[in-house]
Each structure stands twice: as structure tokens, then as C-alpha cells.
Amino acid sequence: MPVTRRGKLLLAELFGLAALPALSPAQISLIHVTSCGPQTLPLSSCAVPSTGAGHLLVVGIQLGAGVNTSTRISGITDNAGNTYAEAGSSRSVDATAGAVADIWYAKSSKSGATSLTISLADSSTTEAVVSNAGAVIWEFSGADAAAPFDRAAVLNSQPSSATPAGASVSTSGAEAVVSLLATSGNVTGISTGNSFTNDSLLKGDGWAHMIAAAAGPLAARWNQSPAGSWASSTASFKAAGSAVTSSALNACDLNQDGAVNVVDVQLATNMYLGLTPCAANIAGAGVCSAAVVQQVQTAALTGACAATVSHSVSLNWTASITPGVTYNVYRSTTSSGPWTKVSASPVAVTTFSDNSVASARTYYYATTAVDGSGKESAYSNVATAVIP
């Protein structure tokens, strides 16, 4: 069955052509990042800019100064009543330095949160009062509102290094990745050539994020001086409408035989048609839908049958306010070009289908606007299509 990936484009204002509003694929954006500390926990709170509605709040916490490494974060609250949870198994420990790092998050935030309180697992004991703690709080827009957390990875008690690498996660598409480095040295910044942004040098540790546009393994790498032992926690969070994660595809193993194959496709189809009761917990709450059937088919047809699946990329964009313009559509295999025109001639409509794409490839698309005298605008912003 055809698989369609959609992207929407922005035309730059050039040669008197009016710019079109951006309509991009789902993308997470950083709203702001706030450092909090060093401070004592659980006796202090963190002040943050007033949060927006429907956003993703990510809190990276580091407990240091020889803390009892059995100490755990028991919860986070704020004055707007948001609900926070640990990002999977994201707690890392450096036993040598006596440091703990952890990542928590709140999905679909309520507006107006200005103060966060971090509680420890055993606040009644002396060991659970940490005098040298710190936190960094990220606020992102565009995250999946229902289930933004994708996966987490940790590295514990790593040997001394001047260029420690954070725990690596493999993203499943457009995601925000947050990585923490708890170290006995002092972080001086991100290593040259690494795509992460170091957002804070609080307590001499590493607090970084990256907005990933496509699937792939990602790891931050920092410079620190002097070299020292370290631990790292990393977590990734999905954009709204992002692709199915590997954990969701595992749920497509409807007969629980350890493989997603044509048998599961038939079972999913029968559920959708009502021939078999829907008992599979796919896409939440055991709901069977056409999307579930397509999900299982996509997973099953990545083996010997993949060659029989055709793919296309459908693009659409908002029309220019300049009357009488037409559009050229360009494609590249890298986000910066070089660009090849895939529209045989300028198109008068605001949609285009590229039927010449291949499986397991990533393509980048941009458009230009052409006015009545033949003047062509600059390239638009870039839309990405990942072909299964």
C-alpha cells in the first residue's frame, strides 16, 4: 500500500514575491531553559518563567558533593498543578564522585507555573538532604501531548576523561533530546563538531539539548578540565504526530510469537473489520483502527516483501498572496542541497506528489515561487520526508 509523507513549505520574500506562512512537519521548539542552583534539596524551590499551556516541561536534576548515591528523587510539583514523572530509567550514578543525575518531565503543561519543588525519596533522614544540588528546566512546544517520552539511556561510573560522551539514544523521528553529565571535573562546553547545545554550566556539569529532525543515534560530548569520572542521563521526547516508536511496533506482535509478520497483518485486519475481537493494546487502550492496520503492515513489510511496497511524498503549502505565481519543487538527499528540480514544469497549484522516491531513504524538499515575468524566489524552508 502506498505510504505518504507530507511536508509544508515556506517561500522567502524575494523579487517582490510575498512570503508564505510556514507550515512545516511536526517540530519541537525550545521555548526557554532555566538554571536553578546550586541549592539545598528538598528545602528550596526553582523559579522559572511562567509556563505556557500544552507544552513539555523537562527537568534535569543533579545531586552532588559526595551525596549518598542511594538518594532518589521522589517527585516534582509546581504551583500550577502539573504532573511530573521520571523519564523512564533515566537515573545515573557516578559512585566515584558521589553524584546522581536524573530526568523528569511533565506533558501538556498547564499555564502559569512559576515555581518547581523537587522532593527526595527519604526526606526524613540526614542523608536525603543534599546541600549541593542543581536543576535545569527546559520548556518545549510542539511535543506529543499524550505520550511525549520516547526512550532513555544512562552511563554509570565512567572512567576519567577530558571529553566525556553522554549516554546515547536512538531517536525515532522528530524529537527533543536532553542529556545530563554529572562529573568530578568542570565542563567547559560542548566538544567541537557535536550537534548538541550546552544550555548551562551549572555546578560545572553538562546540561545539553538537541532538536533531532530525523531518526538516528545521538550522543552529546563535552569538554571538561580537569579530566574526571562521570555519569550521564539522556532522554528523548517525541514531536506531535511523530512516527511510531519501536516499542509501539513491538505491540504489533499480536500473536506474541516474537515477530511482526503477515500473520499479525491478518489479525489486525480481522480486528479492524470486526471479524476478531479487538484485544491488542495498540495505539492505547486496545483501540483497533485503520491506523493500527497500517502500522502493522508497515512493520511486517520491511522484510522480503518490502520491494512490493510503493512510496510517494505528498507536499502542500499555503498559496502566496502575490497573484499569478507558480511554483517549482526541488529535492535533495541532504538538507543543504544541492537541489534537483522534480517538477517537470512550474505548477500552478499548491500541491505536488513525488512518486520517484526509494525505500529506506531520507529526502529534503524546498520550493520556489515564480512570478509572471519568470523571476524565481529563493528556496523555501526545508521539509523532511523519511521513507520506510
Side-chain angles (χ1 to χ4, degrees), residues 2-388:
V3 179
T4 300
R5 294 291 182 268
R6 296 185 180 274
K8 298 183 181 180
L9 306 172
L10 166 70
L11 299 183
E13 188 167 1
L14 190 68
F15 303 127
L17 298 177
L20 294 108
L23 290 171
S24 309
Q27 180 71 48
I28 295 182
S29 298
L30 178 67
I31 301 299
H32 57 67
V33 58
T34 306
S35 297
C36 176
Q39 65 165 333
T40 298
L41 291 180
L43 305 179
S44 302
S45 62
C46 294
V48 296
S50 183
T51 58
H55 291 170
L56 169 69
L57 308 178
V58 180
V59 185
I61 310 109
Q62 198 268 333
L63 312 178
V67 67
N68 183 340
T69 53
S70 65
T71 302
R72 291 180 174 272
I73 307 301
S74 61
I76 300 177
T77 57
D78 65 35
N79 60 316
N82 287 300
T83 300
Y84 293 81
E86 189 175 22
S89 300
S90 58
R91 181 180 182 272
S92 62
V93 174
D94 179 7
T96 302
V100 174
D102 206 351
I103 300 174
W104 287 58
Y105 72 99
K107 64 185 181 181
S108 190
S109 65
K110 300 176 183 177
S111 61
T114 57
S115 177
L116 279 69
T117 301
I118 301 169
S119 302
L120 302 184
D122 189 7
S123 58
S124 64
T125 68
T126 302
E127 291 80 10
V129 176
V130 179
S131 60
N132 186 21
V136 171
I137 302 96
W138 291 265
E139 181 174 352
F140 297 97
S141 64
D144 188 286
F149 172 66
D150 187 5
R151 61 196 71 190
V154 299
L155 291 171
N156 297 309
S157 300
Q158 297 298 298
S160 180
S161 173
T163 56
S168 175
V169 295
S170 293
T171 60
S172 56
E175 298 194 357
V177 182
V178 167
S179 191
L180 277 59
L181 183 75
T183 176
S184 60
N186 288 299
V187 171
T188 58
I190 286 290
S191 296
T192 301
N194 191 266
S195 298
F196 278 75
T197 298
N198 198 70
D199 296 302
S200 178
L201 295 176
L202 178 66
K203 297 174 77 275
D205 292 316
W207 318 77
H209 88 282
M210 178 183 176
I211 305 297
L218 296 172
R221 182 179 291 275
W222 290 267
N223 296 320
Q224 68 166 334
S225 178
S229 62
W230 51 280
S232 176
S233 300
T234 303
S236 62
F237 301 89
K238 297 174 291 183
S242 56
V244 180
T245 66
S246 58
S247 60
L249 288 177
N250 290 339
C252 293
D253 181 14
L254 303 187
N255 63 347
Q256 300 297 300
D257 65 352
V260 178
N261 51 36
V262 69
V263 176
D264 300 298
V265 175
Q266 186 62 60
L267 286 172
T269 303
N270 289 345
M271 289 178 186
Y272 173 62
L273 295 175
L275 303 177
T276 301
C278 181
N281 185 23
I282 304 175
V287 176
C288 290
S289 67
V292 173
V293 178
Q294 180 175 351
Q295 191 179 108
V296 179
Q297 289 172 327
T298 301
L301 295 177
T302 54
C305 295
T308 65
V309 181
S310 62
H311 302 281
S312 67
V313 174
S314 294
L315 303 169
N316 59 89
W317 55 92
T318 301
S320 170
I321 61 174
T322 301
V325 299
T326 55
Y327 309 96
N328 287 327
V329 181
Y330 293 85
R331 186 181 75 189
S332 177
T333 54
T334 65
S335 59
S336 58
W339 300 97
T340 301
K341 187 162 66 174
V342 291
S343 53
S345 58
V347 295
V349 295
T350 56
T351 61
F352 182 81
S353 293
D354 183 6
N355 299 315
S356 60
V357 296
S359 300
R361 298 286 299 274
T362 298
Y363 296 97
Y364 302 88
Y365 291 88
T367 64
T368 61
V370 183
D371 68 10
S373 64
K375 293 180 180 178
E376 189 172 13
S377 76
Y379 292 117
S380 70
N381 71 308
V382 178
T384 304
V386 181
I387 311 301

